[in-house]
Amino acid sequence: MPWLLAACVLWMALLAHADESDHERARDAVQSGQALALPVLLERLQRSHPGQVLEIELERDDGRWVYEVKLLQPGGQVLKLAVDARAAEVLKQRPKGPPPAQGPAR
């Protein structure tokens, strides 16, 4: 669970630098049930998409709340996910940057 603690600390740091209205909107979305709390979302997400959380944003997209999550996967690939904030359903996923270098084939 160290990844969960690190992700929560990262999220809190990002919120500290966010505009106060952004923080209030995110809190209201969680309290009203429009978005899952970050620890709950990350626990569900780790089951299908393991990796270290690099960045998280909560944004409004086409009338619904979406968590944008960047993960460093175990193989070294960075993966960007758009996740429905209420259902923890992955809406989009795409690798970021070049794939990690592989050793010579044997």
Side-chain angles (χ1 to χ4, degrees):
M1 290 293 234
W3 58 265
L4 182 58
L5 178 59
C8 290
V9 169
L10 175 65
W11 192 58
M12 297 293 279
L14 291 173
L15 285 178
H17 289 89
D19 182 77
E20 183 64 27
S21 64
D22 288 343
H23 176 78
E24 290 174 11
R25 289 181 335 133
R27 184 184 64 230
D28 291 345
V30 171
Q31 289 179 342
S32 68
Q34 297 177 52
L36 292 170
L38 185 60
V40 174
L41 177 106
L42 290 175
E43 183 179 332
R44 292 182 187 180
L45 189 60
Q46 283 292 315
R47 294 177 196 156
S48 60
H49 294 81
Q52 180 181 357
V53 176
L54 300 176
E55 185 177 337
I56 299 173
E57 293 180 28
L58 178 61
E59 296 184 353
R60 196 84 168 144
D61 187 17
D62 291 331
R64 69 173 154 187
W65 288 100
V66 175
Y67 279 106
E68 292 183 359
V69 182
K70 285 185 186 173
L71 295 174
L72 177 60
Q73 296 190 296
Q77 179 71 44
V78 175
L79 183 65
K80 184 174 181 181
L81 303 170
V83 182
D84 180 279
R86 184 187 307 213
E89 174 188 350
V90 175
L91 304 170
K92 296 178 192 173
Q93 65 180 11
R94 67 180 171 138
K96 295 283 290 177
Q102 300 291 324
R106 295 181 188 200

